[in-house]
Amino acid sequence: MCGIVGYIGKRQAKDLLIEGLHRLEYRGYDSAGVALVGGNKLKRVRALGKVGELEKKTEGMTLEATLGIAHTRWATHGKPSEKNAHPHADCAGAISIVHNGIIENYTELKDELTKKGHRFSSETDTEVVAHLIEEHTKKSKDIEEAFARALKDLRGTYGIAMVAVAEPERLYVARMGSPLLIGVGKDEYFVASDVSAILAHTKKVVYLEDGERAVITRDGYVVRSGQAVQKKTVSDIEWSEKEAKRGGYPHFMLKEIFDQPESFADALRGRLLPDEGSARLGGLRAVAKRLEGIRRIVIVSCGTSYHAGLVGEYMLEEYAGIPVEVEYASEFRYRKPLLDKYTAVLALSQSGETADTLAAIREAKNKGALALGIVNVVGSTIARETDAGVYNHAGPEVSVASTKAFTSQLAVLSLLTLYLGRKRGMSLVTGQRIARELLKLPRLMERIFEQSGTIKKLAKKYANRKNYLYLGRKYNFPIAFEGALKVKEIAYVSAQGYPTGEMKHGPIALIDREALALFIMPVDSVYEKSVSGLEEIKARGGTVLAITTEGNTALEKKADAVIYIPKTLEMLTPILSVIPLQLFAYHMSVALGYEVDRPRNLAKSVTVE
Ligand code: AGP
């Protein structure tokens, strides 16, 4: 998730663009850049770091330009650096583009273009687009046609803005999967990834839909889908700038919960191979040989990432047949773990900066183990220090309570299970079944959102209980831990997660009229066991909120309240069952009047021991 801004009008573009980037910085902040067209020149300036660095670099720039594009980056392909920062250009520097999204087939396109003599200067997927347009201009000098042809060659997601030195009166944009809009001003037009970048100048916007592209001049814009001109509506934005940043949601946490269908799909994008029932993980290519000889995996992580590791343990053992241990990194670093070169130590970390997890990885490397990472922040320390790894591609997670990073960690763990499983005896049929189900999950997640209102009522109803006992079995016992952590983090209540089977060995003593038991019990291979656990709680006068599979209405007779999740494979149920618990915690925190996104005593990245 990056931020794009563009401007064409009568005013000097530079400051308008940089001001817009500042407002989009929550979308990505590892590098930034601007390209300005004026006086038959195209000037590109890029800088590593936050927008402020770019601002410093462009101070005193004298180029008179009323046309320009700009970008603030959240790296996915190619670490944060000046040469990987956008805008990217073609060989001649005559075309400049900024991009938000992932070009899935960029390696193939890059190889073809290199064979045709194009020289690439970055590691990004995006730069390919500039060279592709250049290549098409060789056939027809018409840049608009070259732009349209290039778009046809792309697979993946994009919001793209493009300028060309030869056309100082035109701004080109296109959308497929990543948000992009046109801001309609007085004798001027803006383009932006979201309204927060341009609200200070206009509240009139035209939303581009997937497959649409537009040419914007100082007199107007023409939107096409294919060759057909689209009649577009101009919408009036009511939001304040703060609201706009949160996409109209009251808190980043709720926005990030509702972003999960997209972030989950992005984690799979360009990696899942449904027909082969497998996965392609480019980030592991360098250690592919060594990975084949691995005899055990030790997952090290903290907090929510630890809970993702617990789900990964079930997946990898059941479907890839590899022994897995999951360790709290803060303990692992002081234990004397028995590691050797046949052990892979896998760090899970959203931020990639968590001190305990970093120390655990360093310990693993000292002991000759293969150090791997599943990390969300590109170029972060854990990403740099591991031997190889996979990025989540979940985009920046602003709220301290992790939500979309968790489900995208489970997406990557599912891909790793397919990748290793298919090399270790998993059948094509099993692989294809898992792959097909993974592709359905974003839509299934949206079905759960329809119950947000019900969950809000339940969270309000049960917000003042003294004890919260989260219970789950097999793939969902880690979700009991995660659910309990969420309400602890943002609602400050006493909550414990337990494997349901462990309840009668002590925790059931907490059950009284002041307690709430939350059962995560989809209809799976251990469902019946969960039902008896539920009845034991009811027998002691406990209150039960159950999460189960759609259609299992029989449970309404046993539990005090039921929330439903769509049916999917047992190994994938945690990816759905966690969402009602995220919403429950969110609505409880709001009901109790707490600051949801910045909970007390916590930090988004714990970089101290
Ligand atoms: C989760 O909501 C918390 N923010 C916290 O437990 C977090 O998961 C933990 O600090 C690990 O962070 P990491 O994934 O960035 O390493």
Side-chain angles (χ1 to χ4, degrees), residues 51-227:
V51 175
E53 300 307 314
L54 176 68
E55 195 158 15
K56 280 195 220 120
K57 250 182 136 176
T58 57
E59 251 142 34
M61 248 177 88
T62 53
L63 180 67
E64 294 286 306
T66 57
L67 167 63
I69 54 176
H71 184 272
T72 180
R73 186 173 186 233
W74 174 263
T76 58
H77 295 78
K79 65 182 177 306
S81 66
E82 190 174 323
K83 73 177 173 53
N84 287 335
H86 299 206
H88 286 286
D90 61 336
C91 299
I95 287 167
S96 226
I97 68 148
V98 291
H99 165 234
N100 170 28
I102 296 171
I103 307 294
E104 291 172 24
N105 58 339
Y106 83 101
T107 39
E108 295 96 291
L109 292 170
K110 194 170 183 175
D111 297 347
E112 279 162 37
L113 289 162
T114 306
K115 286 198 201 92
K116 292 184 180 143
H118 288 263
R119 297 175 315 288
F120 286 81
S121 59
S122 80
E123 302 150 314
T124 67
D125 52 336
T126 301
E127 188 187 356
V128 162
V129 183
H131 291 276
L132 208 50
I133 298 166
E134 178 182 32
E135 187 61 26
H136 283 295
T137 54
K138 288 182 186 153
K139 300 180 197 102
S140 74
K141 284 286 164 263
D142 176 336
I143 291 182
E144 179 173 357
E145 190 178 326
F147 183 57
R149 284 173 184 274
L151 295 176
K152 284 209 187 85
D153 298 333
L154 304 179
R155 264 207 336 275
T157 60
Y158 55 79
I160 289 174
M162 188 264 282
V163 290
V165 69
E167 295 194 349
E169 71 300 321
R170 286 181 154 205
L171 169 56
Y172 291 87
V173 292
R175 174 203 162 130
M176 181 62 82
S178 301
L180 204 60
L181 54 87
I182 301 172
V184 181
K186 196 165 168 329
D187 307 325
E188 58 186 12
Y189 294 89
F190 298 82
V191 297
S193 301
D194 75 48
V195 287
S196 59
I198 60 169
L199 267 182
H201 306 289
T202 178
K203 289 195 178 269
K204 294 193 172 313
V205 301
V206 172
Y207 290 102
L208 290 182
E209 301 306 330
D210 283 352
E212 291 183 342
R213 65 187 196 315
V215 180
I216 307 164
T217 66
R218 289 179 182 78
D219 313 319
Y221 53 86
V222 177
V223 178
R224 290 179 193 280
S225 181
Q227 287 314 317

Side-chain angles (χ1 to χ4, degrees), residues 301-306 348-354 357 382 397 399-403 409 482 485-486 489 602-606:
S301 47
C302 305
T304 288
S305 297
Y306 174 81
L348 298 185
S349 178
Q350 188 286 127
S351 61
E353 303 296 348
T354 301
T357 308
I382 292 174
E397 190 173 63
S399 182
V400 168
S402 182
T403 53
Q409 282 168 334
E482 179 56 12
L485 177 64
K486 287 283 130 353
E489 281 185 277
L602 294 177
K604 182 62 187 169
S605 176
V606 184

